[in-house]
Amino acid sequence: MSGSFRRRGMPCAATLLAGLFLIHPALAGPAPDRARSTARVEFTAADLAAAKPEGLPASVRLAGDDPQAYRAFLAAAPQAGAAPWLALSGGGENGAFAAGLLKGWSQAGTRPDFGVVTGVSTGALIAPFAFAGRRYDAALQQAYTEVSAADVFEFGGSGESLTDTWPLKRQIERSVTPALLADVAGEHRKGRRLLVVTTEIDSGRPVLWDMGAIAAAGGPSALKLFREVMLASAAIPGVFPPVMIDAEGPGGKRFQEMHADGGTTAPFFVAPGRAILGQDPEAGGLPAPELYVVVNNGLTPDFQVTSRTMLSILGRSLSAAIRAQTAGAIALTKGYAARTGLPLHVAFIDQRFGRTSKAPFDRDFMRALFAHGERVGQAGTAFDWSADAITTSTVRAEAEGRRAAMR
């Protein structure tokens, strides 16, 4: 396998799996001082359905695949439709693109105060700062230009994962402060909404966390849960450990829910899948005047001779799967937007950026990608690609990739 990685945004899980082999061929086993109990308190599907996060009301979250619950959530926040919406995708280190785009957008003076902001995976790490406003642009720049792999994960996890993410947990603890929660709570009280998506592993369902409601609840329990949800949304299954969230079920029964990467169920979130597919007879359009989707990945195939190793093969395969999932999600969102009359704007890492990443969370690569995002954000060209152009170019590139592979 080449010593360089997918340029213009190889999906994070694939980058890590390929990079783990190159950086550390003999992956360490679980360290003795890091051993954690894998025993779980038994609970039922009914217990899980009725559970609430310990110390907070059940209303701080809802099922991400339930159109009725989503409609009720939006109906209770009429101001959420007063301004454009922003959906931030997953993509690991490629979140530097969205972070730079937001800063450039601020510099251009045209960035809206979004009515709703949603975040998945690395998008979840960006979303609270994007929601809290332009004054957090510097914090995003630091988070995506001053970190390295050592600030995100460490080799040798437990039986749950290949790595341990205690460094990322510490990063989140330092950046997600009581002051940030107060600012998020203040914007929430104005009627704006911030949603972060995780995947609840036991049920296999997406969960929407109302981060503004969590912040507004205040206190140590709210701060703890806010940080846990952000960490969980970026927890790539098998690569990063899941996050165990304390829950209280019927009759005061206590157990732990297992949450992981929101990108497991969707690369970005706009509405429940049934609504997007037109399978919900009661669904109308979103109450958003416009929708901006920032995809922290490239969409076109990238040729690379793959070595005959498990991690290399799995990494390349995941890259193709995630790219196809993202392209499919954009196509479905395009159809939903056309059907409901919603203006849609999509930005992604296109051919204007050609830098190559040497390893997972390569600082020079992230700085270059941040600078690219900042340039196109300031110039107003980040969303130049229409949904039609994205779909057409992606289909054409996929076909060319298949033809090249057959030669």
Side-chain angles (χ1 to χ4, degrees), residues 14-15 20 24 49 52 57 78 99 132 160 163 165 175 192 262 325 328 377 393 399:
T15 305
L20 288 177
H24 202 296
K52 65 183 184 68
E160 298 172 326
T163 68
T165 50
S175 61
R192 300 172 63 214
Q325 181 196 35
S393 65

Side-chain angles (χ1 to χ4, degrees), residues 86-88 96-106 108 110-112 114 291-297 299 330 344-353 369-387 389-390:
L86 174 68
L88 298 163
F97 174 64
L101 192 162
L102 286 165
K103 183 182 178 185
W105 207 346
S106 296
T110 56
R111 175 175 156 186
F114 299 101
L291 171 63
Y292 291 88
V293 178
V294 179
V295 177
N296 292 303
N297 272 315
L299 298 178
I330 291 173
L344 173 65
H345 314 280
V346 182
F348 65 99
I349 306 171
D350 59 36
Q351 289 82 357
R352 290 176 289 182
F353 181 75
L369 184 54
F370 181 94
H372 167 70
E374 185 177 2
R375 281 193 300 272
V376 296
Q378 188 171 13
T381 59
F383 299 92
D384 272 359
W385 289 82
S386 69
I390 290 168

Side-chain angles (χ1 to χ4, degrees), residues 280-368:
D280 177 25
E282 298 180 40
L286 293 177
E290 293 180 276
L291 171 63
Y292 291 88
V293 178
V294 179
V295 177
N296 292 303
N297 272 315
L299 298 178
T300 56
D302 183 57
F303 175 78
Q304 190 175 99
V305 176
T306 305
S307 63
R308 294 180 62 175
T309 63
M310 178 189 71
L311 290 178
S312 181
I313 294 167
L314 186 56
R316 289 292 291 168
S317 300
L318 279 174
S319 174
I322 294 170
R323 186 171 55 243
Q325 181 196 35
T326 304
I330 291 173
L332 288 172
T333 304
K334 173 201 166 187
Y336 173 74
R339 194 168 63 246
T340 59
L342 174 65
L344 173 65
H345 314 280
V346 182
F348 65 99
I349 306 171
D350 59 36
Q351 289 82 357
R352 290 176 289 182
F353 181 75
R355 186 70 176 264
T356 301
S357 174
K358 297 178 181 178
F361 298 95
D362 172 12
R363 188 177 294 173
D364 289 340
F365 172 81
M366 293 171 70
R367 286 173 175 172

Side-chain angles (χ1 to χ4, degrees), residues 235-262:
I236 305 162
V239 180
F240 292 166
V243 175
M244 308 306 293
I245 294 180
D246 294 328
E248 184 178 339
K253 181 177 182 178
R254 286 175 168 78
F255 54 92
Q256 287 190 313
E257 300 174 357
M258 182 183 288
H259 288 261
D261 194 346

